Amino acid sequence: MSCSCCVPGQKTCLHLHGVFPYIYVPYDGCGLQPERYMRQVAFSIDRALNVAMGNPAASTQHIFKVVLVSGMPFYGYHAKEKHFMKIYLYNPKIVK
């Protein structure tokens, strides 16, 4: 059954504002203050992506923000929640 409002083969463009793709990365802290550590991670990812895209001198920002969250890891048994960095990116093409 198809929707009466949709025409087969017709394309549309949707702009959602304030919604960013994200990834989770385990947080270990490395003995630094969380805010400082997350800023360094964001800077390092931006730099690595600029290098990978063939423009190491670019100052393009790919990371929107990094926040500290806690939750159960996806795999295996865990008795308690772990800390993760939720890394928001500007461009969904970067999340693979």
Side-chain angles (χ1 to χ4, degrees):
M1 182 171 174
S2 65
C3 171
S4 62
C5 66
C6 300
V7 177
Q10 191 172 20
K11 295 179 182 180
T12 185
C13 180
L14 175 66
H15 292 275
L16 293 175
H17 298 276
V19 178
F20 297 94
Y22 59 86
I23 57 173
Y24 289 108
V25 175
Y27 172 79
D28 61 9
C30 294
L32 297 175
Q33 297 172 349
E35 294 80 19
R36 182 175 180 198
Y37 181 75
M38 290 185 290
R39 275 194 310 273
Q40 286 180 337
V41 166
F43 176 80
S44 296
I45 293 172
D46 281 335
R47 179 100 170 103
L49 287 170
N50 285 330
V51 169
M53 293 177 172
N55 196 357
S59 60
T60 304
Q61 190 175 357
H62 303 281
I63 305 300
F64 172 63
K65 68 179 177 179
V66 180
V67 296
L68 193 58
V69 298
S70 62
M72 287 292 192
F74 296 124
Y75 302 107
Y77 172 78
H78 301 277
K80 61 181 183 173
E81 292 185 342
K82 305 283 185 188
H83 291 290
F84 294 90
M85 292 179 288
K86 188 173 184 179
I87 302 172
Y88 293 89
L89 299 119
Y90 283 110
N91 188 344
K93 290 181 181 179
I94 295 173
V95 181
K96 296 191 180 196

